[in-house]
Amino acid sequence: MEVKLWNDKREREMYDNLAELFAIIKATEKLEKAYVRDIISGAEYETECQKLIAQFKTLSSTLRDTVPNIERFHDTYKMDCPAALNRLVTSGVPATVEHQAAAAMSSVSSAAVVAECVQNFITAMDSLKLNMIAVDQVHPLLSDLSSSLNKLSILPVDFEGKTKMREWLSRLSKMGAADELTEQQARQLHFDLESSYNSFMASLPTGGS
């Protein structure tokens, strides 16, 4: 005996859509696994993933009254498709696009920190040239420089600039705020700043690397 799941054309269409939603989630899970295992190329993955995401968005919009919660639908039918849920519901874009965006953000962030370091180096050196040698004038500048250098992940822990700034900050912290650097100390600090700046610029990756 044949059991009908629907009573009219409208119900039949709803069940067809539910089956299609189920299929899209399953297909996305397989696609994610294939990409992670390097079975398909990034370009192939991205094309197929964008297609599945578009289909998913269209269907989930159509079924929003019947399936208001995709996670509940997933759990009800015991689908076990966590990667698909992440891609379709949480992310909404292919992994390749996510990675490109993350790389771009990282690049922009690093460029901003590099600019900050350069500015702090130049400000500190210029201040010494203007004879701003009191501890309460020098310490904040070196502190800012040290902080910006520590933000830049491409610099090693023992980078010359980091080490020298730590040494100078330690030395200054033992002096009074109104104390001033001697001519010899100011000259040495300027030399250390200039040397560290040159090392810093040499350590930056070039456009072709």
Side-chain angles (χ1 to χ4, degrees):
M1 179 183 172
E2 186 181 344
V3 179
K4 275 195 170 184
L5 293 173
W6 56 85
N7 296 312
D8 54 35
K9 188 179 177 183
R10 195 175 195 178
E11 275 194 16
R12 178 175 181 170
E13 189 176 324
M14 181 192 74
Y15 280 112
D16 283 346
N17 284 337
L18 288 173
E20 189 63 31
L21 179 63
F22 186 95
I24 287 171
I25 294 172
K26 282 289 187 183
T28 304
E29 184 73 15
K30 286 183 179 178
L31 183 67
E32 290 292 309
K33 286 179 178 175
Y35 175 61
V36 168
R37 291 168 185 166
D38 215 17
I39 296 170
I40 58 172
S41 70
E44 289 173 315
Y45 162 80
E46 190 170 321
T47 301
E48 289 304 312
C49 194
Q50 283 175 333
K51 194 187 300 179
L52 286 167
I53 289 169
Q55 291 170 341
F56 170 78
K57 284 179 178 175
T58 302
L59 258 184
S60 56
S61 176
T62 302
L63 291 167
R64 64 178 174 272
D65 294 329
T66 311
V67 186
N69 188 300
I70 298 296
E71 288 93 339
R72 192 172 299 163
F73 174 84
H74 169 275
D75 294 342
T76 300
Y77 293 100
K78 298 179 171 59
M79 298 184 69
D80 191 25
C81 298
L85 275 186
N86 176 63
R87 187 62 47 220
L88 297 171
V89 180
T90 307
S91 171
V93 296
T96 45
V97 174
E98 263 185 348
H99 300 158
Q100 287 161 9
M105 285 298 291
S106 175
S107 176
V108 169
S109 175
S110 293
V113 177
V114 167
E116 185 184 313
C117 290
V118 170
Q119 183 180 359
N120 287 334
F121 265 120
I122 292 171
T123 300
M125 288 189 284
D126 285 350
S127 297
L128 289 174
K129 287 176 186 174
L130 294 171
N131 206 38
M132 293 172 63
I133 53 174
V135 170
D136 60 358
Q137 292 173 317
V138 178
H139 192 283
L141 300 177
L142 299 190
S143 182
D144 286 347
L145 174 56
S146 180
S147 176
S148 59
L149 289 173
N150 286 327
K151 286 183 200 171
L152 206 56
S153 58
I154 60 171
L155 295 176
V157 178
D158 59 351
F159 173 68
E160 176 190 352
K162 290 182 179 182
T163 306
K164 289 192 180 298
M165 291 314 104
R166 277 197 301 267
E167 290 171 355
W168 274 105
L169 285 169
S170 174
R171 197 175 306 167
L172 293 172
S173 66
K174 294 170 186 171
M175 298 168 65
D179 290 346
E180 293 187 347
L181 298 178
T182 64
E183 184 181 344
Q184 186 179 355
Q185 286 173 324
R187 190 170 178 177
Q188 183 62 49
L189 175 54
H190 189 277
F191 176 82
D192 288 345
L193 284 166
E194 197 165 34
S195 172
S196 298
Y197 176 71
N198 291 334
S199 296
F200 172 75
M201 296 304 290
S203 72
L204 296 179
T206 59
S209 64

